[in-house]
Amino acid sequence: MKTKILFLITVLIVAFSAQTYAQFDKFSFQLGAGIVNPDKGMRGGNYINYSNTYRYVNQVFGIDSTFVFPWQVALVDSSLFSKNFGGKTGFFIQGTAKVNLDKYETVRLIGTLGYSAFNAFEGSKTGYVPEFTTTYIAQKPISYDYSLGNFGIGLGVEVAPLSFTKVVSPFVNATFNFNFLNAKLTRTTGPSDSMSINFTDFRMGLSLGAGVEFKVNPQWGIVLGAKYDFANLLLKNIDQASGLNWGRTNASFNDEGGWVQGNIYDPLGTPVRSNIRVDQKDMNWSTFYIGVNFYPDFGTGTKKK
């Protein structure tokens, strides 16, 4: 039975390919750039917390101490990575290739390559941090830098019901995306004292888009568009082994939720916290872009029936 079903599917694919092969002769290429705006678990407030108090909790040894300083301290906010990824508005760039599936060019296969750089317009955060030693607490200047981004590869379908007009063509599309997410948080307390935690993860998701194309001449056009990404619909995880510790080079985004260890929220010289609760987080964002279309003429000269 399975063999018959497989054979039938193969026949249908071959028949469909034979019917539509001659239609794969209209290509277009698009380069767009714009603004990306994080949503849901991607969006966060100030990733640095300025306060003159610091509370240290160690559940293993039953320690719960609050320190009050005569000056404000600048520490990583406890919501970063545990409740959100601290994303802010940034820039977006994407290249898209399209090929028609019908003679009227109303249905197209599309492939995309794009990069979203969140926090691109946010500068360094500076302040002072306490350094705990065996005999005293020192005050040290500190600077923080944070970057968050995604390199995405997408495959999908686009529908443009008015493309046959060759002038103005609204469209809607959907792509299945392979997302390579990255983040880096760095602290610097001196010329030779810098420490980072790097995050890299792979997720799969979906984006839904819409826009309108304006054809200027047979070879060139302009596009205005918007899309919304659901970046981590598949492969969410929690990696208790990597934790949230300074010096990690392959930390996980821990978007599944659970418990991890970490020391990134603490002053210098304090012990590693026993456990940190991280929430389940959805990696969503919206994008608004403008771009140019290029319609190459490969000189096929094939007349469709």
Side-chain angles (χ1 to χ4, degrees):
M1 184 65 180
K2 291 182 178 179
T3 304
K4 292 181 179 180
I5 294 176
L6 181 60
F7 176 76
L8 179 59
I9 293 175
T10 303
V11 170
L12 290 175
I13 292 174
V14 172
F16 175 79
S17 300
Q19 178 68 26
T20 61
Y21 177 77
Q23 311 302 336
F24 290 101
D25 58 355
K26 292 293 184 179
F27 292 86
S28 65
F29 301 94
Q30 183 182 101
L31 180 63
I35 297 296
V36 60
N37 193 43
D39 194 15
K40 301 292 185 177
M42 288 294 281
R43 171 169 290 279
N46 195 343
Y47 66 90
I48 299 300
N49 178 38
Y50 292 93
S51 174
N52 65 340
T53 63
Y54 163 70
R55 183 185 178 190
Y56 173 72
V57 179
N58 189 307
Q59 299 172 349
V60 175
F61 298 102
I63 301 174
D64 189 345
S65 302
T66 300
F67 299 87
V68 180
F69 304 98
W71 34 270
Q72 279 197 334
V73 298
L75 298 174
V76 178
D77 194 271
S78 60
S79 65
L80 182 66
F81 305 126
S82 63
K83 296 185 180 301
N84 60 73
F85 295 112
K88 301 288 197 316
T89 300
F91 73 86
F92 163 83
I93 185 168
Q94 179 172 276
T96 304
K98 307 179 182 183
V99 58
N100 63 295
L101 288 179
D102 66 293
K103 65 180 181 180
Y104 299 108
E105 304 174 43
T106 57
V107 182
R108 312 154 178 168
L109 285 178
I110 61 174
T112 63
L113 290 174
Y115 187 76
S116 299
F118 305 93
N119 301 60
F121 309 120
E122 187 173 34
S124 301
K125 307 292 183 181
T126 60
Y128 294 92
V129 65
E131 182 177 20
F132 286 75
T133 69
T134 56
T135 57
Y136 64 94
I137 301 175
Q139 179 187 14
K140 297 190 71 171
I142 195 168
S143 174
Y144 297 96
D145 286 285
Y146 179 53
S147 62
L148 175 66
N150 176 66
F151 175 75
I153 302 173
L155 298 171
V157 177
E158 181 171 279
V159 178
L162 299 181
S163 64
F164 63 89
T165 65
K166 308 297 183 181
V167 180
V168 179
S169 178
F171 64 85
V172 294
N173 57 39
T175 61
F176 184 79
N177 299 324
F178 305 92
N179 298 307
F180 300 86
L181 295 138
N182 62 87
K184 182 178 183 180
L185 176 66
T186 302
R187 74 177 194 204
T188 303
T189 57
S192 59
D193 185 10
S194 181
M195 188 74 72
S196 300
I197 177 172
N198 292 268
F199 297 80
T200 56
D201 256 326
F202 172 69
R203 301 288 185 269
M204 291 190 289
L206 178 72
S207 68
L208 304 175
V212 59
E213 296 173 335
F214 305 90
K215 209 162 188 178
V216 178
N217 58 46
Q219 281 75 46
W220 295 96
I222 299 172
V223 60
L224 297 173
K227 68 189 188 80
Y228 192 87
D229 277 83
F230 306 86
N232 65 336
L233 294 178
L234 299 176
L235 303 182
K236 291 180 182 178
N237 79 335
I238 177 76
D239 184 2
Q240 295 178 327
S242 68
L244 296 173
N245 296 301
W246 292 113
R248 296 296 308 190
T249 58
N250 59 344
S252 171
F253 277 87
N254 295 314
D255 49 343
E256 180 64 29
W259 293 90
V260 298
Q261 291 187 339
N263 63 4
I264 64 171
Y265 308 119
D266 299 321
L268 306 179
T270 55
V272 176
R273 293 190 175 190
S274 57
N275 280 299
I276 299 167
R277 172 67 184 179
V278 296
D279 296 343
Q280 185 275 336
K281 295 175 285 293
D282 294 324
M283 297 177 168
N284 297 2
W285 60 81
S286 57
T287 305
F288 304 90
Y289 62 92
I290 184 172
V292 294
N293 284 351
F294 173 56
Y295 307 96
D297 182 5
F298 294 116
T300 57
T302 302
K303 185 177 180 181
K304 303 182 186 70
K305 297 180 180 181

